[in-house]
Structure formats: C-alpha cells, structure tokens
Amino acid sequence: MKKIGFLSFGHWTPSPQSQARSAADVLLQSIDLAMEAERLGMDGAYFRVHHFAQQLASPFPLLAAVGAKTRKIEIGTAVIDMRYENPHYMVEDAGAADVIAGGRLQLGISRGSPEQVIDGWRYFGYSPNKGEDDAEMGRRHAEEFLELLRGKGFAKPNPRPMFPNPTGLLRLEPYSAGLRDRIWWGSASNATAVWAAKLGMNLQSSTLKFDETGEPLHIQQAAQIRAFRAAWKEAGHKRTPRTSVSRSIFPLLDDRDRRYFGQGSREEEDKIGFLDEDTRAIFGRSYAAEPEILIEQLRKDEAIAEADTLLLTIPNQLGVAYNAHVMEAILSSIAPALGWH
C-alpha cells in the first residue's frame, strides 16, 4: 500500500446529533476536511456522488474549491455515475477543476449503483439506445468521456467566429494534459474490471462487490485486482495502473471512539444482500479495535495487500474535528505497519 485517502459520502440531516445538518454544512466541511487531511499528510480526498439524496451530488464545484484551498493532496471521486452525465460538459468541468488544482484530480467514474428514484437518469434527459440497458449507457458515456479527454479536435470551426480560432478542428477547453491517465473505473465485477483495464482506466473497488464466488470480500477483491492487472498487461499499456479498495477502519483510542464504534461483533463479518432481484452482492465488514488488533486484522486483508491505494470511508456527520482525529490515528498507529510511508 502506497497511498491512503479518505472517502466521504457527504450525508447531511437536520438531526441535532449530526454535525452536518445542511448542504452548506457538508460542502464547507468537505473543504475543511480536505485541508485537514493534507495537513496530516494524507494522500487523497475523495467524495461520493449520489443524486436525489441529502448527500454530495454535483462534484466539480467542490473539487474546484478543494483544489484552490490545497496544494498537494490528490482530489477525487468514488464514484460519478456516468448514466447521469453529459460527456462533453463533464470534460469542460473536469478540465477546469484539474487546472485549478494543478493536475491533482483523480476521477472515479462508474455505471452507478441503485439510486433514490427509479431510473433517475431519465430526469436528467438520458435514456438507453435501442437494445441497450442503463449499465451499457453508462459505459457508453464513459467511453465518450475518455475519448474527449484526449484533446483531439473534432468540431468544425465557424468561418466567421467571434474570436480568432486556432487552425483545424476544435477541441473542448480547458484541456488538462494528463487527466486522461487519472480516470478510475469503480468496478463491482471481474468483467468490468477487465473492461476498464482494456480502456486504460485505473481501478476502484469499493466496500461492495457482486458476489461471484461466495468467498469473503477481500479475497474476491484481490482476485479482481489480479484480473485487472493481467488484462492491463495484455492490452499493452505503457504506464503502471493504479488500484484502490475502500474500507471502514476505526482505531479505538478513547471513550469517544468506543462509544461510536466499539459495539462488538455486529460489523465484524461481511454481509450478503441483493441490489435487485438478480444481483447478489457482498458488503465488506467494518474494522474497529485497538491499534495492535487492527494491524493484525488488516494484514490478513488480501485486497489491501494487493492494492496500491486505500480509501477510508469516514462518518462525515460526526464533524471535521472527529474525522481528523480518526485519520491521524490511522496514519500514526496503523498505516506504517501496513507499508505506508
């Protein structure tokens, strides 16, 4: 493991027990949390995207703001649901945010997960082509996005433009060199991991995966990463790909930690559920224990050992100060034992 980042789902609720009671709270605290993570030496600040929910949604204003307030930390998503996206507009947004951040964006994209409303992407003006389902539509949008990121001109210029044009066909602006190599695919199956490798995307594997073998999540994810790397090598890409897994990890250092997360065995096993009538999924366990116990547990996690990046899912509603405490505890007492420097 070479890098560690946090992953926030950006929940808010008006409950008095929540430190994030509005969208404004979540957005402003997300910026503060990224700044704290950079101060602590964490490698990445990542944000989830959900529509029609009291959670973070449109990512690019937040990514641009974080990019303007930080200097070194990677800034990313895990993931943007491509069923909802216009690839052309997204290239402009991503290019602008990456320019502001100085080339630090690491964008996770995917076909998405079950949402708050039925076929929510239809309300955004998108529908699958004939013979195509919504997952295939999401992958099609992703391929269009990747092609546009290459920066090759495709649009015929106006012979009487308002402003002078460069010669030849025009591309979308602002163009950010290198962003194409910093796109990740959030994969829930071995097949889409192989597909992502062929297209030259990095791989994100979450705390949820299609249950393809009946084995524990970490074993299935490790096999998924190996399949991805084999497909990458077969495709002949020149650069080395990156891979990440997400985990919920909480060192129990004080009474506050134990009150929040020291609840015993309820979260110590993977769980099985169904995303729809036909899709059986496995959900990863949470880790909560004293540091020396956590180290031994995490050393047995084959996916963490196989990936180069670990994303820590955080309870953002507990506030910036508490999450900074959790991150600092992991960086100081857990991560070095797992090979992070």
Side-chain angles (χ1 to χ4, degrees), residues 34-106:
M35 295 170 66
E36 277 294 287
E38 181 172 78
R39 181 186 66 80
L40 293 168
M42 187 160 278
D43 300 300
Y46 288 75
F47 303 95
R48 185 66 165 92
V49 177
H50 278 113
H51 301 288
F52 299 103
Q54 291 185 337
Q55 294 175 237
L56 293 171
S58 56
F60 292 107
L62 174 59
L63 294 174
V66 172
K69 288 286 189 176
T70 57
R71 292 293 175 266
K72 296 185 295 184
I73 196 168
E74 293 180 344
I75 307 163
T77 52
V79 289
I80 299 172
D81 188 336
M82 293 303 293
R83 297 174 299 178
Y84 287 78
E85 295 297 324
N86 176 322
H88 290 73
Y89 197 80
M90 186 174 171
V91 164
E92 293 182 339
D93 276 351
D98 198 40
V99 168
I100 290 170
R104 289 182 284 132
L105 252 59
Q106 301 283 343

Side-chain angles (χ1 to χ4, degrees), residues 150-167:
R150 297 185 186 279
K152 183 179 179 181
F154 64 92
K156 185 177 179 180
N158 188 335
R160 293 181 294 277
M162 181 177 294
F163 308 105
N165 279 324
T167 58

Side-chain angles (χ1 to χ4, degrees), residues 7-8 250 261 312-319 322-323 326:
L7 171 59
S8 173
F250 301 101
F261 300 107
L312 304 168
T313 61
I314 61 165
N316 75 280
Q317 287 178 286
L318 295 182
Y322 182 74
N323 281 292
V326 171

Side-chain angles (χ1 to χ4, degrees), residues 234-261:
E234 183 178 350
H237 302 304
K238 302 303 181 185
R239 67 179 178 88
T240 300
R242 290 182 61 184
T243 58
S244 75
V245 294
S246 301
R247 293 290 184 270
S248 298
I249 302 171
F250 301 101
L252 303 182
L253 302 182
D254 57 29
D255 290 342
R256 183 175 49 168
D257 299 328
R258 295 183 185 93
R259 184 170 68 252
Y260 287 144
F261 300 107

Side-chain angles (χ1 to χ4, degrees), residues 329-341:
I330 291 172
L331 292 179
S332 62
S333 64
I334 307 295
L338 301 178
W340 178 81
H341 301 287

Side-chain angles (χ1 to χ4, degrees), residues 300-329:
K300 297 175 184 177
D301 190 309
E302 295 184 14
I304 290 178
E306 197 72 42
D308 59 72
T309 300
L310 173 62
L311 298 184
L312 304 168
T313 61
I314 61 165
N316 75 280
Q317 287 178 286
L318 295 182
V320 174
Y322 182 74
N323 281 292
H325 157 76
V326 171
M327 290 189 291
E328 185 172 21

